[in-house]
Structure formats: C-alpha cells, structure tokens
Amino acid sequence: MSDNKRPETMERITTPELANAFIDEEIAKLRAQIGEGKVLLALSGGVDSSVVAAMLIKAVGKQLTCIHVNHGLMRKGESEEVIRVFGEELGANLIYVDATDRFLDKLAGVSDPETKRKIIGGEFIRVFEEESKKLSGIAFLGQGTIYPDILESDGIKAHHNVGGLPEDVEFELVEPLKFLFKDEVRVVGKALGLPDSMVYRQPFPGPGLGVRCPGAITRDRLSALREADAILREEFEKAGLMGKVWQYFTVVPDFKSTGIKGGKRSFEWPCIIRAVNTKDAMTATIERVDWDVLERITDRITHEVDGINRVLYDLTPKPTGTIEYE
Ligand code: XMP
C-alpha cells in the first residue's frame, strides 16, 4: 500500500448519487489492478466484507472466490443469509465451510477469554489457509479494511486481533473501501443493492457468540444464547430500534438459578440483555429501552428458549464495563 491517506479532495459519500459515482470509479480501478487475475475474499457477512464482495462481483465477477467460514459462533440465520445473498442472488463463486465441530471441539473446556480468542482466531486462519490452498492461481486478496482501521492501527480490530488473516500472505491486497468511513460504506452497500439486514448490521466481533458465552462454551448454552439473541433482534427490529441503537445482544453466563416453569421447579441459566450507544466504541452509554419492549422480550426468551428462566438488563456503561463480556 503506497498511500494510506484519504485524498483531501474526496467528498464525503452521503447520497446514492455520490455512492454510484464512487462505485463506478472504484470498479474501473479494480479492473485495472486485477486484470485477468483471480481474487480471494474471506466473507464473514459483516458490512465491510459484504460490501467488498459486492463491489468485486460487479468488477470482476467469477474471477472472485469468496470463502465463508462458519465457526459455529455465528448468529442465527447469518451463514444462511450469506449463502442466499452471495451464492444465490449475486451468483458469486462461494465456498461455504461449516467448521462448527472443529471450532467447538477445540474450545471445549477452555474458559480463559484470551485463550478462547486465540483459538478462534488461529483456527480461522488455518481453515482459510487450507481452503485457499485447494485453489490455484490466486494473485489477489480482497480485504474489508476501512479508514478507521488505518487511522487507529491500534484501534478495536487491531487490539482484538481476531478474525484477521495472516500478515505474511503472498497475495497482493485489494482494499476498495480503505478510505471510507463506516457510514459511507453503508451508503455504498445500499447503492450496490445489498439487503438492509446486511447494510445496517450492528458490529459483531470476530469471535462471534464465543465472547457472549462466558467461560467454557458448551453446545447447549451456545444454542440458548443464539435463540435468545434472535428473539432480541426480532423484537428490537419490531420496536423500530434496528439501526437506531448501536449494538444490542444477549449474554448467557455460566451459572444457574432456581425458577418455576410449567408449575415445576427449574434450575436454569439467566440471559443478560445489553444495549449500548457509542461513537467510537471506546466509551458507551446505555440505551433506555422502553419497559414494554423489555417485558415482551423477557416473556418470549423465558418461554421460548430452553434452559433460560430469568432475563436481566445490563445498566453498565463503558467504562466500567466493556461492551462485550470477554
Ligand atoms: P469492547 O468489548 O472492547 O468492544 O468494549 C468494543 C467494540 O469492539 C467489538 N469487538 C470486536 N470487533 N473483533 C472485532 O472486529 C473482535 O475480536 C472484537 N471484540 C469486540 C465489540 O463488539 C464492540 O463493538
């Protein structure tokens, strides 16, 4: 990368017209850079990698191969959406790797947060490398780098250092979003026709639900977490909070308490709801969620999710809490 400074003349992309102009210009540049070459992209389904994928499909079509690694810590329906949008609707070359067992077996019994992150990050790189070795003639690697990643090289992504790719790859990098801020990436994604559920997706950490299942991950607690998270997202969307609240999710901690379900004593996990707002993720405040919405979510989670008998709302800003639990 020769120049990592956003050109001063570059206009802020705020409208579909400006997004289309940016897309046209970038596509010409991508074609010039890539020529007849082959490009590989790790497609998580997050905003940045999805927008890069859509741009590369427009620019070089089948010269692009996307690899989507399902580490078993995705939210409900996420991998299915990646397959539907990119594999079916946009007709991309998409390799889907269900590595759930591989990740969960490696994580079994591991409770230290940093060790969990290292296992997830390391395993992700290994799976990606194994898959890429099966392909031949790849010269380029697409990446969803955006401008804040360059500005804050010690920022969130670099700090957590998970979900990234090896730095010693022999491919030439293709980074069409590297001068864009997040809001601009969303405008571009919308102009490219990606669904709102992808374009306005809240941030989701590389280690996925793994950091929201504190301590040693078990399949049953992970499954309860995934179901509870899906209910929370559905109810927030119905209440008009999607895209308004910066990040909201559930956590299922590793302890049980007594309750009553179906007239019988139960001994099950609690589910914690966290909903925060922030500008840069360095500090965060709590969303004052409407009480009726919280009660509806509580009712649904406790009645629809196996293994959960209580719902708690986290009132802790950052600091003193971090946004995630691990
Ligand atoms: P914390 O928990 O440090 O999180 O307050 C700040 C923001 O970073 C996200 N996060 C991650 N993002 N890879 C990422 O790309 C990660 O490993 C990771 N861990 C946390 C978190 O969701 C929040 O938005």
Side-chain angles (χ1 to χ4, degrees), residues 117 156-157 160 162 203 205-207 246-247 281 318 322-324:
R117 278 177 177 274
I156 296 297
K157 274 190 194 169
H160 289 295
V162 169
W246 200 76
Q247 203 169 5
K318 175 181 180 175
T322 47
I323 294 177
E324 302 290 347

Side-chain angles (χ1 to χ4, degrees), residues 259-266 268 301-303 305-309:
I260 305 167
K261 259 195 188 176
K264 280 199 220 127
R265 198 182 114 99
S266 73
E268 295 178 316
I301 291 179
T302 50
H303 287 88
V305 182
D306 281 345
I308 293 180
N309 63 0

Side-chain angles (χ1 to χ4, degrees), residues 221-297:
R221 193 156 55 93
L222 180 62
S223 160
L225 169 64
R226 182 176 287 119
E227 293 304 319
D229 173 74
I231 291 172
L232 177 81
R233 286 189 290 138
E234 199 183 309
E235 292 297 330
F236 263 49
E237 190 174 343
K238 274 194 214 154
L241 296 172
M242 186 179 111
K244 256 186 77 193
V245 179
W246 200 76
Q247 203 169 5
Y248 45 93
F249 55 87
T250 55
V251 173
V252 177
D254 189 13
F255 71 87
K256 292 184 174 178
S257 72
T258 311
I260 305 167
K261 259 195 188 176
K264 280 199 220 127
R265 198 182 114 99
S266 73
F267 192 56
E268 295 178 316
W269 300 297
C271 167
I272 300 166
I273 295 176
R274 186 144 175 79
V276 298
N277 290 304
T278 177
K279 279 204 161 61
D280 56 8
M282 305 312 268
T283 62
T285 56
I286 297 307
E287 171 73 15
R288 296 191 170 198
V289 181
D290 191 65
W291 208 253
D292 291 341
V293 175
L294 285 178
E295 282 184 337
R296 194 161 48 247
I297 294 169

Side-chain angles (χ1 to χ4, degrees), residues 122-136:
E123 205 55 20
F124 181 88
I125 290 171
R126 270 189 293 280
V127 173
F128 187 82
E129 278 180 340
E130 281 170 26
E131 289 302 319
S132 63
K133 279 193 187 124
K134 294 180 195 162
L135 306 166
S136 62

Side-chain angles (χ1 to χ4, degrees), residues 6-295:
R6 177 171 164 133
E8 272 164 28
T9 50
M10 190 172 156
E11 201 174 341
R12 190 93 182 187
I13 304 168
T14 50
T15 63
E17 293 71 31
L18 290 167
N20 283 326
F22 170 82
I23 293 165
D24 289 346
E25 204 175 302
E26 275 311 311
I27 283 179
K29 282 193 209 156
L30 288 170
R31 287 184 180 147
Q33 183 187 3
I34 297 164
E36 300 294 309
K38 287 191 191 170
V39 192
L40 189 62
L41 176 74
L43 177 58
S44 67
V47 184
D48 306 338
S49 68
S50 296
V51 173
V52 171
M55 289 207 37
L56 282 166
I57 290 167
K58 250 193 141 165
V60 297
K62 295 277 185 195
Q63 286 163 252
L64 171 73
T65 299
C66 303
I67 300 182
H68 175 68
V69 177
N70 178 358
H71 50 23
L73 303 164
M74 306 291 285
R75 292 177 294 186
K76 190 172 179 176
E78 260 178 334
S79 288
E80 291 81 354
E81 187 176 43
V82 169
I83 294 169
R84 182 177 55 75
V85 171
F86 291 98
E88 293 166 17
E89 290 171 19
L90 297 178
N93 276 329
L94 174 68
I95 298 174
Y96 170 65
V97 190
D98 183 356
T100 301
D101 287 337
R102 192 166 157 170
F103 278 82
L104 295 187
D105 289 349
K106 275 238 149 125
L107 287 164
V110 180
S111 57
D112 176 63
E114 285 312 309
T115 313
K116 283 169 70 180
R117 278 177 177 274
K118 281 202 183 99
I119 290 174
I120 298 166
E123 205 55 20
F124 181 88
I125 290 171
R126 270 189 293 280
V127 173
F128 187 82
E129 278 180 340
E130 281 170 26
E131 289 302 319
S132 63
K133 279 193 187 124
K134 294 180 195 162
L135 306 166
S136 62
I138 304 280
F140 299 91
L141 183 71
Q143 280 207 316
T145 314
I146 64 172
Y147 205 39
D149 301 332
I150 293 174
L151 291 178
E152 313 153 20
S153 54
D154 59 346
I156 296 297
K157 274 190 194 169
H159 163 70
H160 289 295
N161 197 24
V162 169
L165 294 170
E167 278 172 9
D168 57 345
V169 281
E170 65 276 30
F171 309 118
E172 182 179 327
L173 292 183
V174 174
E175 300 175 298
L177 310 179
K178 73 173 182 178
F179 292 136
L180 301 196
F181 289 97
K182 197 76 175 192
D183 54 316
E184 299 179 293
V185 176
R186 294 191 208 276
V187 180
V188 170
K190 187 89 183 134
L192 285 163
L194 290 174
D196 284 1
S197 52
M198 270 182 179
V199 172
Y200 299 111
R201 217 177 92 132
Q202 38 169 335
F204 188 58
L209 297 180
V211 292
R212 298 173 183 175
C213 197
I217 299 169
T218 56
R219 287 175 194 246
D220 52 356
R221 193 156 55 93
L222 180 62
S223 160
L225 169 64
R226 182 176 287 119
E227 293 304 319
D229 173 74
I231 291 172
L232 177 81
R233 286 189 290 138
E234 199 183 309
E235 292 297 330
F236 263 49
E237 190 174 343
K238 274 194 214 154
L241 296 172
M242 186 179 111
K244 256 186 77 193
V245 179
W246 200 76
Q247 203 169 5
Y248 45 93
F249 55 87
T250 55
V251 173
V252 177
D254 189 13
F255 71 87
K256 292 184 174 178
S257 72
T258 311
I260 305 167
K261 259 195 188 176
K264 280 199 220 127
R265 198 182 114 99
S266 73
F267 192 56
E268 295 178 316
W269 300 297
C271 167
I272 300 166
I273 295 176
R274 186 144 175 79
V276 298
N277 290 304
T278 177
K279 279 204 161 61
D280 56 8
M282 305 312 268
T283 62
T285 56
I286 297 307
E287 171 73 15
R288 296 191 170 198
V289 181
D290 191 65
W291 208 253
D292 291 341
V293 175
L294 285 178
E295 282 184 337

